[in-house]
Amino acid sequence: MLRRAALLACLAAPGVVHADTDDQGELFGVGKKKPRPAKPAKPDSKTDKTDKAGTADDQDDLFGLNRKTEAPPSCDDGRAFGCAMATDPLDPVTPYALRTWLSAKYLQTLPIGDARSDQVATFATGAFVDDTGVAFAGATGLENRWSIEGAPVESARTGNVELRVPVTFIDQLLVIAGGFSARDRVSTGGAIDVQLIRGGDEHVLETRAWLGWTAAPRGLPPIPSTYQVRRLRTAVGPQLDASVVGSGPVRELAGGKTWYAAGIAPSLQLSEFTWKAARLVDADNNGIPDGLPGVVILDPIVTTDMTTLSYFIPAMARAGWDRGPHHVDVTVLANFSHATAAFANATQQAAGLDRAQRSGVAIATWRGTWKDTHARVQAAWHHAELREDAHDDRAARLPKLQSAYVPLELAEEPFLADQCRDGGPNDPTPRVDNCPVPFGFFGSGGAGRLVDNVSDHPTVTGELAHRVGDHVLRAGATLEDTRLVVTSRFTGGFEVRSLFPGHTDTRRFFTTCDPDPTLPCAYADQSKLTFRTRYTAAYLEDTFEPVEGLRVDGGLRWELMWVGPRLHFSDQLAPRFGVAWDPLGKGRSRVFASLGRSYAMLPAGLGSSVIARDRIVADVDAGAFGRSRNLDVGAVYSIARDVKPIAQDEATLGVEVGLARLVHAIAWVQGRTLRRGLETVLVNEETGQFVFQNPGVDGREPVASRDSFTFAFELAVTASKTTTFRAGLAWNRTVGTWPGPFDPRQGTTLYAGTDYDGDPSNMDGILPSDAGGRGYFELVRKGKLAGIDVGASTRLTVASGLPRDVLLNAGQGIAFLLPRGSAGREEVRSQADVRLSARVRSFDLTLDVFDLFNRREVIRTNRIYAGESVRPILGGELSDLVWLKNETGTLPDRRPAFGTPVAFAPPLSILLGVRRAF
């Protein structure tokens, strides 16, 4: 479900009920399902005193009385509810990891609709959310490592997750927030691995369908003293989703069992775009637009709209062979999607942009499991394509005109051009421009610059674990080679910018060109850039168990991270140590601690800063002012000779306990310190020279640092067979100078942001990745109503808003007027989600309501306070702004947009679902 991404990313382990859940161990993801007990004899109708509405078979059992003792679960792999630690020392998961197992059986009882792996990963203990997805311990969502069955599936361009897996395809989801050992492939965030369903001894076919509706979003309020010719509003229309998944045995082959699993889950979504064009009003003909200096009064010209259909189609095919200790499986998983984006302040023809994406991974894995030895060899290939095209076929053949005015002639919208034309007897505002463009450009003609991305990411991994007495020795190695090809082109072959009628700035790609505008250039239809990265790692690790239940683990991981031919980090040594103790025995408890170092994995998209950029020539014809030519030869930033990799140190301490199938609780603290960020730094203001380096090495600017502290707690209780609750709390504090590869204000920067381009004053403070507090409470209930199995659940979530900055935008660029993050926080976000479920005959019906009270809180506000030449207030507070002066000693003009909303939380959404299993 395409629209659900932003909404579901805010959920954190909600709880619901499901009529088919046999026991609460199953509800929380306990391994195998117990056989149903034989049905008791039908009671005599004369003596049966059970309530005919029957909310439970036994009222004592309903309220948790007269409980029957259940056998404790097996904790061999530590996944069952009530387990805190794997009892098998050869288990591949680090014993002291801050890990959460999320089973599909558990996830599908929650109000998640047709959610995908990237959305439900936020349900993990200690997980937070930013604009890029799930985030951990002060890192951004772009710093996580994502894998499917152990095979990497990150985007080569940004490092974020690229392959999204429907929950209906998933068996287990492993989310690790910290506490990594040498065997773990990690960066400076968390690690998420998706484990897919496998075929069993019986054929199973499961079908699902959903129909959804979303309320109207909250519109942005008008900003005083601002005007735009054409504004855009977007809304989400109805959606239709489905899922068909089958699995089962095939036949014996070479003495082993073979199995299959396959599925497809298409999602269709309508999107509605509405453009409103308006012109200024000067009713009193005084030469000043009416409404100033407040909200400008507008005269509507025309309203146009467009409805588009987007789709997302994930598909999976798996086959496996198991014989004794040998297990072989082959997996192919792919995503196909298409969506339309639209832009404001342009003609409708020029405003639409289609994005079509195809991505997939092919994985072949062999696993060997003997009594004292486990081995794994895996080869995978991740391929992705993203293509951009003009939504309007006419725009695909025309160059785009970006003008600082509305052209006198618009072939695609002559009425708009006529209504905006100044002068003449029909001009309603002769002393005021009808449709000025006070900032930016107005787009017309073609769609402009289009960018295609094609990436390939082959990987090979080998791992071995062998038990020798009280020791488990591990060794492994991996090789990853990523290639990203970026192809850019202009619709119509070029793009034109114009500051005034008669002025043109024509931009094209070129291969060779002379700076003299009178000489010809070798223009090119497109620009193709190739970025390459290589990641190699090897590790040695020893887990020592001096007494039963106590494991002491230590290891060393060596990593190589190359980006192109110039940025090489070849000797990254990451020691990692930890201890885990099970005082209650049999995997029921865990007291753990760890220390370790990790290095950032750099995406190939960083190549636009350190490998190559597009070569563009701008031929300028200013009429009477003459002609000129500007060449951008595609130069990239120089790299400091002493540049070092991004390194992060982490310490964790925690305790976890599980009591049979009744209670599970975990609490931990986590501290991280990052002292060597990477960023582009302006080192010479006169020449405009930038260097890619570790900021602060020369003492001229603050050191790129990030320190975080995180506390997380979760309690899950099975009160009875019909009632459960789960509650969790996480709190994070992140301070420093370096936000990482993503900043909510700047977007995805990939270590080329603007923080170190101007005045570094007040840069040290509360970072935008400081998550504050986040908590949830859920109550789950199931029973019978009129003889029908029914269920209901409610979940309340609350989360702190983003830290607020106070910025200035003067000639030197964006700077922090007050210390970073010192202006409080955005609105607290809270949300109530509800699911109602019923089983009618062989159909399971669900009704999911997200954000029941339709709160639509403000997520972000405009933080630029002033634009004049003012100096930052070192160590200042909000109360100091009243004393702010500019260079002339007068009060600066406060930006009218300061503090106004920029983004809102998604609105109420309803999803009606039906399921049938065969």
Side-chain angles (χ1 to χ4, degrees):
M1 183 177 70
L2 299 176
R3 182 64 181 88
R4 302 285 334 130
L7 178 59
L8 289 176
C10 302
L11 307 180
V16 294
V17 299
H18 195 281
D20 283 343
T21 302
D22 290 0
D23 55 47
Q24 298 307 320
E26 282 293 309
L27 179 64
F28 285 102
V30 171
K32 295 185 177 180
K33 190 175 183 179
K34 286 194 170 186
R36 294 177 184 267
K39 293 184 178 180
K42 185 176 181 181
D44 190 308
S45 59
K46 296 181 180 180
T47 59
D48 183 13
K49 303 299 183 182
T50 304
D51 186 352
K52 298 300 181 182
T55 57
D57 294 330
D58 188 331
Q59 297 301 320
D60 287 340
D61 194 43
L62 176 65
F63 290 98
L65 305 175
N66 197 22
R67 297 288 301 273
K68 294 182 179 180
T69 302
E70 299 185 56
S74 170
C75 295
D76 287 348
D77 58 9
R79 303 185 187 186
F81 180 71
C83 292
M85 180 175 171
T87 56
D88 183 2
L90 290 170
D91 186 75
V93 180
T94 300
Y96 45 83
L98 310 180
R99 51 94 182 105
T100 303
W101 282 103
L102 299 171
S103 73
K105 184 176 291 294
Y106 163 68
L107 293 171
Q108 289 170 357
T109 64
L110 307 179
I112 62 172
D114 62 338
R116 305 185 297 267
S117 54
D118 56 311
Q119 298 162 339
V120 297
T122 62
F123 298 0
T125 306
F128 299 94
V129 178
D130 68 11
D131 289 350
T132 62
V134 61
F136 301 94
T140 69
L142 298 187
E143 298 171 68
N144 299 322
R145 296 301 92 191
W146 293 83
S147 59
I148 296 176
E149 294 287 332
V153 291
E154 299 97 5
S155 165
R157 188 174 62 87
T158 65
N160 204 352
V161 59
E162 188 159 54
L163 273 172
R164 293 167 169 84
V165 186
V167 172
T168 54
F169 293 3
I170 296 174
D171 177 50
Q172 298 271 350
L173 192 70
L174 174 61
V175 183
I176 303 179
F180 302 108
S181 65
R183 74 192 82 163
D184 294 317
R185 173 189 180 271
V186 297
S187 182
T188 49
I192 303 96
D193 182 56
V194 179
Q195 300 181 9
L196 304 172
I197 62 172
R198 298 165 60 90
D201 295 332
E202 297 181 354
H203 295 283
V204 177
L205 179 64
E206 182 184 72
T207 60
R208 295 173 184 262
W210 296 269
L211 181 63
W213 171 86
T214 300
R218 188 175 171 184
L220 295 175
I223 300 174
S225 303
T226 62
Y227 166 74
Q228 196 172 24
V229 178
R230 185 169 244 160
R231 297 182 180 271
L232 171 66
R233 183 164 185 173
T234 62
V236 177
Q239 66 182 69
L240 178 63
D241 311 318
S243 173
V244 180
V245 180
S247 63
V250 181
R251 62 183 180 87
E252 289 195 3
L253 177 66
K257 294 183 178 180
T258 58
W259 53 267
Y260 75 93
I264 187 169
S267 175
L268 305 177
Q269 177 84 68
L270 290 178
S271 298
E272 300 169 355
F273 303 93
T274 302
W275 289 270
K276 292 185 177 181
R279 58 189 178 186
L280 297 177
V281 175
D282 184 18
D284 55 6
N285 199 30
N286 66 349
I288 300 176
D290 292 354
L292 289 179
V295 176
V296 178
I297 297 174
L298 301 177
D299 178 21
I301 297 176
V302 64
T303 298
T304 58
D305 54 47
M306 176 178 69
T307 300
T308 63
L309 176 65
S310 301
Y311 64 79
F312 173 73
I313 305 176
M316 173 193 68
R318 304 193 72 200
W321 176 77
D322 301 317
R323 177 184 175 184
H326 301 282
H327 309 276
V328 177
D329 55 76
V330 177
T331 301
V332 176
L333 191 142
N335 290 171
F336 305 91
S337 65
H338 183 278
T340 300
F343 305 95
N345 225 31
T347 63
Q348 185 171 329
Q349 173 181 294
L353 182 66
D354 288 343
R355 293 189 175 101
Q357 185 168 10
R358 297 182 297 175
S359 58
V361 64
I363 310 169
T365 307
W366 167 82
R367 294 179 178 87
T369 54
W370 294 271
K371 179 181 179 181
D372 294 321
T373 305
H374 287 185
R376 182 176 75 103
V377 176
Q378 183 181 79
W381 194 293
H382 175 208
H383 177 80
E385 300 178 10
L386 173 63
R387 180 177 176 83
E388 294 183 343
D389 287 293
H391 180 73
D392 192 302
D393 291 338
R394 296 168 297 176
R397 300 186 295 269
L398 298 173
K400 185 171 189 175
L401 172 61
Q402 299 250 62
S403 55
Y405 54 91
V406 176
L408 296 176
E409 301 293 336
L410 288 173
E412 62 265 39
E413 294 191 36
F415 180 75
L416 177 63
D418 180 68
Q419 294 296 301
C420 287
R421 186 174 291 115
D422 293 313
N426 296 324
D427 187 350
T429 57
R431 300 185 63 187
V432 172
D433 290 342
N434 288 312
C435 304
V437 182
F439 59 90
F441 294 95
F442 181 85
S444 60
R449 186 171 181 171
L450 305 174
V451 181
D452 302 335
N453 293 274
V454 178
S455 64
D456 289 282
H457 184 186
T459 64
V460 178
T461 301
E463 296 180 311
L464 177 67
H466 182 65
R467 177 163 44 195
V468 180
D470 296 331
H471 296 264
V472 174
L473 305 178
R474 301 176 187 270
T478 185
L479 173 64
E480 303 180 21
D481 191 2
T482 303
R483 186 184 69 168
L484 172 65
V485 179
V486 181
T487 304
S488 302
R489 65 192 190 282
F490 292 115
T491 58
F494 58 92
E495 181 180 83
V496 179
R497 293 184 181 180
S498 179
L499 299 179
F500 52 86
H503 169 271
T504 59
D505 181 341
T506 305
R507 296 166 178 260
R508 297 181 178 90
F509 299 113
F510 73 94
T511 54
T512 59
C513 194
D514 193 283
D516 188 343
T518 63
L519 299 178
C521 274
Y523 299 122
D525 294 333
Q526 62 182 23
S527 172
K528 181 178 289 188
L529 304 175
T530 301
F531 306 141
R532 198 82 174 261
T533 66
R534 177 168 294 176
Y535 171 79
T536 305
Y539 69 87
L540 293 172
E541 185 178 340
D542 178 22
T543 304
F544 176 47
E545 191 167 7
V547 296
E548 185 177 357
L550 176 63
R551 294 178 192 162
V552 181
D553 181 271
L556 181 65
R557 186 178 183 91
W558 168 84
E559 295 179 337
L560 173 147
M561 184 74 251
W562 288 2
V563 181
R566 298 193 304 141
L567 186 61
H568 288 182
F569 301 127
S570 301
D571 295 310
Q572 300 180 158
L573 296 178
R576 298 171 188 169
F577 307 94
V579 60
W581 175 43
D582 179 10
L584 299 182
K586 298 182 179 180
R588 295 176 297 168
S589 61
R590 184 170 64 124
V591 179
F592 56 93
S594 70
L595 292 170
R597 167 166 289 193
S598 60
Y599 293 91
M601 297 184 69
L602 305 177
L606 181 60
S608 59
S609 296
V610 298
I611 298 178
R613 293 189 301 109
D614 293 323
R615 297 162 61 89
I616 298 177
V617 56
D619 290 314
V620 180
D621 186 349
F625 297 98
R627 299 172 57 192
S628 63
R629 174 176 289 168
N630 299 317
L631 296 179
D632 183 349
V633 297
V636 294
Y637 300 110
S638 59
I639 300 175
R641 291 185 178 181
D642 57 348
V643 66
K644 293 181 173 59
I646 300 172
Q648 176 176 271
D649 294 318
E650 177 190 77
T652 68
L653 176 66
V655 60
E656 183 176 5
V657 62
L659 301 178
R661 304 175 188 272
L662 306 179
V663 177
H664 178 266
I666 184 171
W668 46 260
V669 294
Q670 176 186 29
R672 287 181 171 180
T673 297
L674 189 151
R675 282 286 180 270
R676 271 200 322 250
L678 285 172
E679 194 62 70
T680 55
V681 179
L682 178 63
V683 296
N684 191 320
E685 295 185 6
E686 294 183 359
T687 63
Q689 179 187 2
F690 288 84
V691 174
F692 189 75
Q693 66 178 36
N694 307 112
V697 294
D698 52 10
R700 294 190 302 176
E701 64 275 331
V703 173
S705 64
R706 186 176 70 193
D707 296 322
S708 72
F709 175 84
T710 304
F711 166 77
F713 169 78
E714 181 179 279
L715 173 67
V717 177
T718 302
S720 72
K721 291 193 301 183
T722 59
T723 305
T724 63
F725 75 84
R726 187 180 183 216
L729 174 68
W731 182 83
N732 170 260
R733 183 70 163 179
T734 303
V735 297
T737 61
W738 187 74
F742 174 82
D743 185 334
R745 174 173 57 87
Q746 303 181 62
T748 301
T749 63
L750 293 184
Y751 315 110
T754 61
D755 283 357
Y756 287 91
D757 295 355
D759 191 335
S761 302
N762 289 330
M763 188 184 299
D764 194 353
I766 301 173
L767 289 170
S769 57
D770 178 278
R774 192 164 190 256
Y776 60 88
F777 174 81
E778 65 195 43
L779 180 65
V780 182
R781 185 85 159 158
K782 69 173 183 176
K784 287 183 178 293
L785 181 64
I788 298 175
D789 290 329
V790 297
S793 65
T794 183
R795 185 180 69 91
L796 306 176
T797 60
V798 61
S800 301
L802 288 171
R804 285 177 172 171
D805 299 322
V806 179
L807 308 172
L808 61 91
N809 184 10
Q812 68 269 30
I814 300 292
F816 292 92
L817 185 57
L818 296 179
R820 188 177 219 150
S822 63
R825 307 188 79 97
E826 301 290 3
E827 292 183 16
V828 173
R829 298 185 61 183
S830 60
Q831 186 168 313
D833 300 324
V834 175
R835 166 176 282 192
L836 301 177
S837 63
R839 184 174 180 84
V840 181
R841 296 183 184 273
S842 57
F843 293 92
D844 295 317
L845 305 178
T846 59
L847 177 66
D848 293 346
V849 181
F850 302 94
D851 196 9
L852 178 64
F853 301 107
N854 199 24
R855 292 179 55 83
R856 301 178 298 176
E857 300 100 331
V858 176
I859 296 177
R860 282 197 307 277
T861 55
N862 189 301
R863 304 314 306 166
I864 299 180
Y865 183 84
E868 299 181 45
S869 297
V870 297
R871 298 291 299 170
I873 305 174
L874 300 180
E877 300 176 352
L878 278 174
S879 58
D880 296 327
L881 292 178
V882 297
W883 309 106
L884 185 65
K885 299 290 192 299
N886 57 24
E887 291 182 347
T888 63
T890 59
L891 292 175
D893 292 331
R894 171 176 158 171
R895 288 285 183 93
F898 177 75
T900 59
V902 174
F904 299 98
L908 175 145
S909 181
I910 298 175
L911 206 62
L912 178 64
V914 59
R915 169 186 174 270
R916 174 72 187 274
F918 300 91

